[in-house]
Amino acid sequence: MNGIPTSHPLPVRISSAAADLDAIRPLLSEAHAAVGDVPALLELAKAAAETAPKPGDGRTAFLWEILASVTAVDVAAGRVLEPQLDAVAILAQAGDKAAQDGGHFPDPDGADFEGTWGVFAAEAPGLRLEARGSAGGWILQGSKPWCSLAAQLDHAVLTAHLETGGRAAFAVDLHAHGVSFANPEWTSRGLREIPSGTVHFEAVPAVPLGGAGWYYQRPGFAWGGMGVAACWLGGAVAVARSFTASLQQAADGGREPDQIALAHLGEIDRTLAALTAYLAGTAARIDAGELSDRGAWKEALRVRGSVAAAVERVQTLVSQNLGPAPLAFDERYGKRMADLALYIRQHHAMRDDAQLGTLTLTGSNPW
């Protein structure tokens, strides 16, 4: 009933030509073979990051197609891939910033920046990570919440509070002395293999990236946020494919879909078509340099909100039509629905819309 070919997973097209999408297929087959195997998925993400384009480098749509296509294979696989690609992009952007400022990218003594990466920028009440300058450089002190797979990663880009106020980004070796991992106590039914927990830092050396405020002010922050939305889109495509396949299977067995099922499939089709066209246009604008200032975040809020609403709508329509049976008896379908429901909660719903409304009220609008 899952409706997605197991041996030949299909890419998700945003705007690329068929030949370009064909280049993704080996990655998708490897992702399918690695479902549930986090170490294998991490190695796959590390290898993919060596060749995947970076946002803003002229192939942003293809980058998003990679993210969407892997997530369509398995939501958790996309959740592993996305921060690896984001971290590599952040490090490249930090290097560009250092070069623009007439310096060079700071490299810790003997540190190896190769390996697997996470990106940890979340905050939580009662937990605080601080960065302090010292004679030998910067050190991290405190705790960071919501660090997915931290104990299995080599490095992380994370944000920390500065003594002078505000926050800055740092690169840190997660194998360094002074790093410890709390038991995540992860009880989630979605993304069960991607536990998020707290990491504690005790005088851990770190490499500064971009300076105070740079992490949030750079356009790459918005671009990365849209990359997450591309993953959500991929999850919605997988749900839609499973729905289409279930209707086809029923029709082949002599039970034609009724008008409600067909109406819902039609709504899903136009929703996904509109989303892919929107992302194609947005990716082209990024590559053309039109979203290289602080206005990029306004567009990111539009993209993320539009995709999040569409994902929830697609899940609702499909769940209503297929009923409880696949949730109860189809492991892949049930996993996909649970994984996606948790992943989409990275969007802050009406709070993000309120932020967008503030920017809309105080700025210019395309409508």
Side-chain angles (χ1 to χ4, degrees):
M1 186 175 291
N2 60 64
I4 300 176
T6 56
S7 58
H8 302 289
L10 299 175
V12 176
R13 182 178 185 273
I14 293 175
S15 64
S16 294
D20 291 325
L21 292 176
D22 284 342
I24 301 177
R25 290 178 184 271
L27 173 63
L28 303 187
S29 296
E30 293 177 33
H32 179 266
V35 169
D37 185 345
V38 172
L41 289 174
L42 287 170
E43 287 301 311
L44 187 65
K46 184 173 66 173
E50 295 177 359
T51 58
K54 297 178 179 62
D57 282 358
R59 302 186 73 199
T60 301
F62 187 62
L63 168 65
W64 291 352
E65 286 164 338
I66 293 172
L67 291 169
S69 298
V70 170
T71 311
V73 172
D74 178 65
V75 176
R79 180 66 183 81
V80 170
L81 176 63
E82 184 276 324
Q84 178 77 28
L85 299 188
D86 191 31
V88 170
I90 293 168
L91 294 172
Q93 292 158 14
D96 291 342
K97 175 67 164 58
Q100 291 170 5
D101 293 343
H104 64 280
F105 185 72
D107 189 19
D109 293 338
D112 179 5
F113 271 34
E114 295 182 356
T116 53
W117 285 79
V119 179
F120 308 139
E123 302 281 334
L127 296 174
R128 183 179 175 91
L129 180 63
E130 296 182 344
R132 303 170 183 171
S134 67
W138 289 87
I139 60 170
L140 299 177
Q141 185 72 36
S143 302
K144 194 69 174 173
W146 291 102
C147 298
S148 299
L149 294 177
Q152 300 184 59
L153 300 175
D154 298 313
H155 305 279
V157 172
L158 49 72
T159 56
H161 293 266
L162 302 174
E163 295 175 293
T164 54
R167 282 180 286 173
F170 296 85
V172 62
D173 181 355
L174 293 175
H175 301 301
H177 179 74
V179 178
S180 60
F181 309 95
N183 183 351
E185 299 181 355
W186 191 247
T187 64
S188 174
R189 298 303 186 265
L191 297 175
R192 297 184 71 170
E193 64 268 57
I194 317 291
S196 289
T198 300
V199 180
H200 303 294
F201 298 87
E202 183 69 35
V204 177
V207 179
L209 304 175
W214 172 82
Y215 178 83
Y216 297 101
Q217 294 168 1
R218 65 194 167 90
F221 179 68
W223 303 344
M226 288 186 265
V228 173
C231 292
W232 299 341
L233 171 66
V237 167
V239 173
R241 287 172 175 172
S242 69
F243 181 43
T244 304
S246 70
L247 296 182
Q248 291 172 336
Q249 183 179 13
D252 291 342
R255 182 162 53 89
E256 295 292 335
D258 61 18
Q259 283 189 308
I260 293 177
L262 291 173
H264 285 170
L265 182 59
E267 179 180 341
I268 290 170
D269 173 75
R270 60 180 170 79
T271 298
L272 294 178
L275 278 180
T276 52
Y278 182 21
L279 264 65
T282 304
R285 292 180 64 200
I286 290 173
D287 291 335
E290 296 179 22
L291 295 174
S292 59
D293 56 19
R294 299 190 68 175
W297 183 239
K298 184 176 182 180
E299 194 62 40
L301 288 170
R302 292 187 185 122
V303 167
R304 287 168 62 87
S306 297
V307 175
V311 168
E312 292 183 323
R313 180 61 175 166
V314 169
Q315 285 192 287
T316 296
L317 293 175
V318 172
S319 183
Q320 288 177 349
N321 274 274
L322 296 186
L327 290 171
F329 301 112
D330 188 328
E331 171 62 26
R332 292 185 63 214
Y333 174 90
K335 180 182 188 301
R336 183 183 305 123
M337 295 293 269
D339 287 350
L340 190 55
L342 179 60
Y343 198 2
I344 203 69
R345 289 279 58 83
Q346 285 191 7
H347 181 249
H348 303 123
M350 287 184 288
R351 288 180 175 85
D352 278 357
D353 275 347
Q355 186 180 164
L356 177 57
T358 298
L359 295 173
T360 300
L361 192 63
T362 58
S364 61
N365 304 299
W367 35 270

